[in-house]
Every structure is written in structure tokens, then in C-alpha cells.
């Protein structure tokens, strides 16, 4: 329901919204892009070279780079350059290396006629961190929006807990209001599941992964002191990490079980964050112009989740998205590991472990943000309380990005993660930002083929009318809560002719529908996709077969004349399409 419950509402029967018989989801839609599979699959690296002041460096060539795959040189087989000029700049005519004639100097206009489009999705990780930390970033974001939104800038507001809260707009007032409505939804305490012993998520990770015997020893000593287990004995060993039968009984077993439960809950919390980031990338990938995901977060644990981290980076790279990250904690400052009322009778070993690992724990939760930024050519703003300046710095994208292609290692290494290192061939104080590695597919791709789209995608881009499913819809102009122009559509589907699958006393069916706006030139302006997952009881099915079911979608639309096209598909692949013209007044 998080991904668009506010965008898609069903009006057929009020009680259906409150039951488990109808599940609703919706999201911004864009036609699938054509992907070609080449004979030899390449790993593409987006590399940003920055000088010590953080400025992107231009003018480098293929020979200036070297790539190491698992420490071994990997030849660069493809090289290109992408330059994002500043808004005021005008590109001079290209000059080949053989030419000795300098490029003519072209005056820079003081006021360019058209500003390039820059789409920034401001992603607030409200699943981690406190309300106070969120409020600091909200205040900074509002000031940035008021002062830093220049010509051509469009932004959207996205929260990890609720998804897209405001679609892309240049309306600063709407953006500041959307940012101000956010609240922290921290779902897991930094102190862990219990106070006896106190095992933090980071400590649980160290115990479960076996990376630190001291972490288990500290928890074991704390458990003995606070009286966790009645089965413990005074002669229990000082090294509980040994896997002997005696060590795996009593207190040690309970400590390990608590650590496992703590880590599983923390891991689930992190997986929710990765899922939300995937949703954010989907939204941003459909935005025009330069795409920047500005991630505002206190960070979260991502150990033993290399696949999830790599997937986010891969999706961002393929969509041309730069991820900039801001540490909402600001300048790092942290007191004792425990609250005052929890410091009584803490064993020395436990106290030493907790105080000596504070820095490592902060590094561990920040690692995911640093990797996202460095892996996509972005910046990581941290250890700094000037959050307003941070927003201004992160809103810009690198002026120069180098695209390097290497051949992946496919010799019997399917699924294995390869660490990459890109360096400059000459000595320099510059530093490089690029993805840290890739997952080997284990085999080269076959002949060039195009990725097939879904039938519903093909029907959307057509113009004919089909009636394999009985549907009807009405579209009319409307106004949003902030006065913005919308097209409001109500779609009605007759359920009686549809075939339902019966399982566990329920009648199952899934209805997918897409609403799209096309301008007078036939260009797709905007679209949304929604779905209804039906698991109906007998009496519910009878009622809905008699009445049908309706849903409403709303799309932002500037004043103008549009063709509204609706495509509906059921679980059996049957499709219906209809068109209607609507005028959106000024």
C-alpha cells in the first residue's frame, strides 16, 4: 500500500477498502526502453575524477585510466566522455586532435533562453534516525528549496516509509510543504531487542558474521552480570566463541540466539530501505533531463548485503542517475554508549567494547551511503553541520563523466562478486569515484536481441480500441490540493465475464490498468500504472459481479488538449483499450 495508495482509490464498495479481499497499488509509469544484448557483455563504469577541492576534472583520455579486476589488469575496450555543461555555458564547435586551429571563442549569454532540465528526487530515509535529526534536515531542505532552486530545476519529495509524497514540480511552496509534513518512523531501536544483555544491531552483526570474538565476549559478560540465564555456571569459559557443547549451552546459546534475532530484525529493516530506494529509482528513471537522487539519511547497516548494494548502483547507472548522499547526523559527536540508567554494573570488557567501537559502528552505517555516492559518481556529504550548504553542494551533478567498458570475467564465476579498482596511470592528487565492483554472469550474452515488452505496453502506444474485457471510463479536468491542474479518470471494470482462480476458499484475479496522457503531437506526457489484486469470498464475488468495480487515477497535466488512453488487462492476458479527448483549461 505504501507505493501509491493515495494515488489509486477504489469507489466500487466502501467495505472492500477495509478488507483483505482487495489490494491496491499504483506507481508512475513509463514505456520500457529498448535494450540490446550484445555478443560480448560489457561492464560499464562511470568514473568521475575530482581534484582536491572536489571539482570534476575534464580533458582525460582512455590512456589516462587503468582498471583492475580482482587485482588483475583488465583492458578498457570501450571509452567515451559525457559532459554536462553548466547552465550558462555554450559549447564551442568540436575540434579534432589533428587540427591546429583553436576553437573560436563564443560569447556567453548573460541570460540563456532555455535552461536545461534538472530533476532531483529528494529521498528522506525516515525509517532510520530520530525525529530531531529529521527536523534538522527538513529545515535545511526547505531553505535550499527557497534559495537554491534555479532555472530548469524540478524536484520531487520521496520518503522511505510512504514513497512518493510529491511528484516533480518547480513549485517551491509545494515542495517546502511536502518536506515539512514528513515524520520519523524509526522501527527498530539502536539499543536492540533487550537490555539484558544489551546487544545493538551492529554488535549483533559482528556476532552473527563471526567478525569479532570481542563482540560475543562483551555480550556474554554482560549477560552473566545482569543475570540473563539461570542455567549459567560460575565456571563458564572466558572464550564463549568456541563451539564446544558446553559453550553452546545456557548463557552462550541465549546470547547467540538474541544476537541472531536482533540481526534478522535489523537486516529486515535494511531490506525495507533497499526496497524503498528501488522504488525511488523507478520514479526518478522516468524523469526528464539530468537525474539526481539526493539521499538524506543517518545510514543503516548493510553488511552481508553486497548484492542489494550492487543492485542499487547498477540500476542507478543504467538509468543515468547520480546518487548524492547526506549524512543527517551532521558533525559526528556521540557520548557514552549507554544511557545513564543503563551504566550500572557494566563489565569492564563490555564497557571497553562498546566505547571502542562507536566509531566503527558509525562507519558501518555510513558505508552504504558512501558506496552509493562513489559508485554512481556522486558526492557524500558527512561530518559537517552545514546542511544547507550540503544541499547546495549535492544538488549539482558532475560536469564530466568518463564511461569505461571492460569485459567481465565469465570463466566459471557465475554469481561471484568482483572487486574493481580504477586508477589514473599518472601520479596525481585527484581522487576517483566509480562503482566498486560487479557480479559475474558466468557466461557471455548471445546474439543481439531486443528486450520484449509486455502486451499491455504495446497496446498503450497503439491507438485502436479493443474490448476483450468490458470496461468504461470517464476523464475530466480537476484541481489538486495546491491548485495544480489534473486530469481525473474513473475506470469501471465488469467482473462477471472474467475468469477467477479458486484457492483456499477465495476467488483470485488480478487487474492491471494504465492511464496515459498524449499531447496533440502524439507525445506521451505522463502515465500511471495501477493494479487490483482480488482475493474475494463467495458473497463478495457475487456482489461485485453484479455491480462491477471502479478505480480512479489522477495525472498532473498543464493546460492543453490531451488524448487520454486507458488500457486494462486481466490475469489471463485479455485486454481492453479506450480513448477520450479532454481539455484542461488555464
Amino acid at each position: 500500500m505504501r507505493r501509491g495508495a493515495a494515488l489509486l482509490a477504489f469507489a466500487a464498495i466502501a467495505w472492500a477498502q477495509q478488507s483483505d479481499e482487495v489490494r491496491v497499488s499504483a506507481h508512475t509509469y513509463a514505456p520500457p526502453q529498448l535494450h540490446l544484448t550484445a555478443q560480448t557483455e560489457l561492464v560499464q563504469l562511470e568514473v568521475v575524477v575530482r581534484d582536491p577541492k572536489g571539482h570534476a576534472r575534464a580533458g582525460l583520455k582512455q590512456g589516462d585510466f587503468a582498471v583492475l579486476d580482482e587485482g588483475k589488469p583488465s583492458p578498457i575496450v570501450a571509452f567515451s566522455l559525457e559532459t554536462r555543461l553548466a547552465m550558462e555555458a555554450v559549447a564551442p564547435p568540436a575540434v579534432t586532435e589533428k587540427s591546429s586551429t583553436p576553437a573560436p571563442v563564443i560569447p556567453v549569454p548573460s541570460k540563456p533562453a532555455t535552461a536545461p532540465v534538472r530533476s532531483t528526487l529528494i529521498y528522506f530515509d525516515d525509517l532510520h534516525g530520530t525525529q530531531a535529526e529529521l527536523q534538522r534536515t527538513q529545515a535545511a531542505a526547505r531553505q535550499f528549496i527557497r534559495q537554491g532552486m534555479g532555472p530548469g530545476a524540478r524536484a520531487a519529495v520521496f520518503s522511505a516509509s510512504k514513497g512518493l509524497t510529491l511528484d516533480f514540480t518547480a513549485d517551491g511552496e509545494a515542495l517546502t510543504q511536502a518536506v515539512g509534513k514528513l515524520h520519523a518512523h524509526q522501527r527498530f531501536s539502536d539499543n536492540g531487542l533487550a537490555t539484558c544483555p544489551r546487544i545493538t544491531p551492529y554488535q549483533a552483526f559482528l556476532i552473527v558474521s563471526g567478525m569479532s570474538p570481542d563482540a560475543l565476549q562483551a555480550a556474554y559478560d554482560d549477560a552473566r552480570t545482569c543475570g540473563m540465564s539461570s542455567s549459567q555456571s560460575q565456571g563458564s569459559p572466558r572464550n564463549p566463541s568456541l563451539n564446544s557443547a558446553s559453550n553452546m549451552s545456557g548463557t552462550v546459546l541465549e546470547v547467540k540466539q538474541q544476537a541472531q534475532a536482533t540481526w534478522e530484525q535489523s537486516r529486515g529493516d535494511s531490506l525495507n530501505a533497499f526496497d524503498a530506494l528501488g522504488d525511488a529509482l523507478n520514479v526518478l528513471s522516468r524523469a526528464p533531463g539530468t537525474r539526481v537522487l539526493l539521499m538524506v539519511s543517518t545510514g543503516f547497516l548493510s553488511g552481508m548485503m553486497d548484492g542489494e548494494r550492487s543492485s542499487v548502483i547498477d540500476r542507478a547507472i543504467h538509468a543515468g542517475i547520480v546518487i548524492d548522499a547526506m549524512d543527517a547526523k551532521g558533525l559526528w559527536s556521540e557520548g557514552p554508549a549507554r544511557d545513564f540508567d543503563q551504566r550500572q554494573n557494566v563489565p569492564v570488557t563490555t564497557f571497553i567494547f562498546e566505547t571502542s567501537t562507536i566509531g566503527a559502528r558509525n562507519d558501518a552505517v555510513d558505508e552504504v551511503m558512501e558506496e552509493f555516492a562513489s559508485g554512481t559518481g556522486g558526492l557524500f556529504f558527512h561530518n559537517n553541520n552545514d546542511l544547507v550548504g550540503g544541499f547546495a553542494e549535492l544538488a549539482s551533478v558532475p560536469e564530466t563523466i568518463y564511461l569505461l567498458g571492460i569485459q567481465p570475467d565469465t570463466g566459471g564465476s557465475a554469481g561471484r562478486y568482483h572487486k574493481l579498482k580504477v586508477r589514473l596511470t599518472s601520479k596525481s592528487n585527484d581522487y576517483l569515484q566509480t562503482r566498486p565492483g560487479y557480479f559475474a554472469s558466468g557466461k557471455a550474452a548471445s546474439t543481439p536481441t531486443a528486450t520484449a515488452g509486455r502486451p499491455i505496453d504495446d497496446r498503450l502506444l497503439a491507438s485502436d480500441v479493443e474490448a476483450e474485457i468490458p470496461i468504461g471510463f470517464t476523464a475530466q479536468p480537476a484541481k489538486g490540493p495546491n491548485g495544480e491542474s489534473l486530469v481525473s479518470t474513473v475506470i469501471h471494470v465488469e467482473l462477471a465475464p472474467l475468469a477467477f482462480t479458486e484457492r483456499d476458499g477465495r476467488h483470485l484475479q488480478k487487474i492491471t490498468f494504465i492511464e496515459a496522457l498524449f499531447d496533440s503531437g502524439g507525445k506521451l506526457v505522463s502515465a500511471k500504472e495501477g493494479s487490483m489484486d482480488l482475493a474475494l469470498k463467495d458473497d463478495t464475488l457475487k456482489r461485485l459481479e453484479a455491480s462491477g468495480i471502479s478505480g480512479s487515477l489522477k495525472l498532473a497535466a498543464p493546460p492543453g488538449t490531451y488524448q487520454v488512453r486507458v488500457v486494462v488487462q486481466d490475469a489471463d492476458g485479455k485486454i481492453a483499450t479506450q480513448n477520450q479527448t479532454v481539455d484542461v483549461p488555464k
Side-chain angles (χ1 to χ4, degrees):
M1 294 295 293
R2 174 170 58 80
R3 294 187 305 168
L7 301 177
L8 183 63
F10 291 96
I13 298 177
W15 50 260
Q17 296 180 356
Q18 301 172 0
S19 72
D20 62 346
E21 300 182 62
V22 179
R23 288 185 298 151
V24 180
S25 66
H27 57 84
T28 304
Y29 170 88
Q33 296 181 349
L34 183 68
H35 297 282
L36 295 180
T37 304
Q39 184 69 31
T40 302
E41 187 178 281
L42 295 181
V43 176
Q44 177 177 294
L45 306 177
E46 291 197 3
V47 183
V48 178
V49 183
R50 297 187 182 275
D51 62 23
K53 295 183 178 180
H55 301 140
R57 182 181 170 192
L60 300 178
K61 298 179 175 59
Q62 179 173 334
D64 295 320
F65 295 91
V67 180
L68 300 179
D69 185 342
E70 292 291 327
K72 299 178 181 179
S74 181
I76 300 173
V77 297
F79 180 85
S80 62
L81 174 67
E82 180 177 339
T83 302
R84 298 183 174 101
L85 295 177
M87 185 179 61
E88 297 81 11
V90 176
V95 179
T96 62
E97 294 184 4
K98 295 182 180 180
S99 175
S100 58
T101 304
V105 177
I106 298 180
V108 177
S110 58
K111 293 185 179 180
T114 303
V117 176
R118 184 175 72 253
S119 298
T120 301
L121 187 144
I122 309 177
Y123 174 95
F124 287 91
D125 179 9
D126 55 354
L127 297 177
H128 304 91
T130 64
Q131 181 66 26
E133 289 168 329
L134 177 62
Q135 287 175 341
R136 288 198 298 270
T137 59
Q138 286 174 295
R142 289 194 296 265
Q143 185 171 343
F144 159 71
I145 291 169
R146 288 193 294 266
Q147 301 178 357
M149 295 285 290
R154 299 164 69 251
V157 179
F158 192 105
S159 74
S161 66
K162 295 183 179 179
L164 185 66
T165 61
L166 180 66
D167 214 337
F168 288 95
T169 179
D171 187 340
E173 183 61 29
L175 287 166
T176 55
Q177 289 182 8
V179 170
K181 293 178 181 179
L182 300 176
H183 297 279
H185 297 276
Q186 190 174 18
R187 298 174 180 174
F188 191 48
S189 171
D190 292 335
N191 289 319
L193 296 175
T195 58
C196 179
R198 175 185 181 268
I199 301 179
T200 66
Y202 176 63
Q203 186 177 3
F205 162 69
L206 295 178
I207 294 173
V208 172
S209 65
M211 295 177 60
S212 172
D214 291 341
L216 180 58
Q217 186 72 62
Y220 169 74
D221 291 343
D222 191 22
R224 292 186 63 196
T225 301
C226 69
M228 173 185 184
S229 173
S230 59
S231 61
Q232 65 185 359
S233 64
Q234 296 298 322
S236 296
R238 280 296 300 159
N239 186 0
S241 62
L242 296 176
N243 293 322
S244 66
S246 60
N247 291 347
M248 287 302 293
S249 63
T251 306
V252 177
L253 179 59
E254 294 180 51
V255 166
K256 288 191 173 184
Q257 288 174 340
Q258 180 178 327
Q260 183 69 43
T262 302
W263 169 241
E264 286 300 326
Q265 187 161 342
S266 176
R267 184 176 184 275
D269 201 42
S270 296
L271 290 176
N272 286 335
F274 281 118
D275 180 65
L277 281 164
D279 292 346
L281 291 174
N282 286 339
V283 172
L284 183 55
S285 66
R286 302 177 178 104
T290 299
R291 306 181 183 112
V292 179
L293 190 151
L294 203 167
M295 179 182 180
V296 183
S297 173
T298 57
F300 55 89
L301 292 174
S302 59
M304 299 188 290
M305 300 183 196
D306 290 342
E308 287 78 5
R309 296 200 306 265
S310 180
S311 176
V312 170
I313 294 173
D314 286 343
R315 293 174 67 177
I317 289 175
H318 288 308
I321 295 172
V322 172
I323 299 179
D324 289 330
M326 173 184 291
D327 186 358
K329 297 187 296 294
L331 182 62
W332 179 74
S333 176
E334 190 165 336
R338 299 195 184 207
D339 297 334
F340 180 80
D341 58 352
Q342 297 177 340
R343 299 178 203 167
Q344 305 299 323
N345 302 320
V346 176
V348 174
T349 53
T350 306
F351 176 79
I352 292 175
F353 169 80
E354 291 182 346
T355 54
S356 63
T357 57
I358 290 177
R361 176 177 62 82
N362 278 279
D363 291 341
V365 298
D366 285 350
E367 182 180 8
V368 65
M369 294 189 289
E370 183 176 8
E371 188 169 315
F372 287 163
S374 63
T376 61
L379 295 174
F380 178 36
F381 185 87
H382 62 295
N383 284 342
N384 196 320
N385 285 333
D386 182 15
L387 300 183
V388 176
F391 272 101
E393 180 177 345
L394 298 182
S396 62
V397 295
E399 292 84 2
T400 303
I401 295 179
Y402 302 93
L403 304 178
L404 282 58
I406 64 170
Q407 292 184 349
D409 180 3
T410 58
S413 58
R416 187 168 69 87
Y417 185 74
H418 283 245
K419 292 183 178 180
L420 293 176
K421 183 176 182 180
V422 183
R423 58 180 178 83
L424 297 176
T425 54
S426 60
K427 292 184 178 180
S428 172
N429 292 327
D430 299 333
Y431 64 95
L432 280 65
Q433 296 173 281
T434 188
R435 62 190 295 186
Y438 70 95
F439 279 92
S441 63
K443 59 181 180 180
S446 57
T447 55
T449 57
T451 301
R454 302 174 300 172
I456 194 172
D457 299 319
D458 298 334
R459 300 294 201 284
L460 181 72
L461 299 179
S463 59
D464 56 337
V465 175
E466 300 181 59
E468 295 178 343
I469 302 172
I471 68 168
F473 86 95
T474 59
Q476 59 185 5
K479 292 292 185 180
N482 297 314
E484 66 272 24
S485 299
L486 304 173
V487 171
S488 178
T489 303
V490 177
I491 307 168
H492 184 79
V493 181
E494 295 291 340
L495 297 187
L498 304 187
F500 285 75
T501 302
E502 197 167 343
R503 188 171 65 215
D504 298 331
R506 298 293 185 99
H507 303 274
L508 309 181
Q509 176 62 261
K510 180 174 183 177
I511 303 173
T512 303
F513 49 91
I514 303 174
E515 175 198 4
L517 298 183
F518 294 86
D519 62 18
S520 57
K523 181 180 178 182
L524 179 65
V525 177
S526 62
K528 280 191 171 68
E529 178 176 342
S531 65
M532 296 183 280
D533 286 285
L534 307 179
L536 306 179
K537 300 176 183 178
D538 292 340
D539 58 344
T540 307
L541 177 61
K542 291 180 181 179
R543 295 181 187 180
L544 290 182
E545 283 182 335
S547 65
I549 194 166
S550 297
S552 64
L553 282 171
K554 294 181 179 180
L555 290 175
T561 300
Y562 301 93
Q563 183 187 59
V564 183
R565 182 166 175 83
V566 169
V567 184
V568 180
Q569 178 177 295
D570 70 0
D572 297 324
K574 295 181 179 179
I575 289 180
T577 62
Q578 288 190 12
N579 305 313
Q580 181 181 327
T581 301
V582 62
D583 292 318
V584 179
K586 294 184 179 179

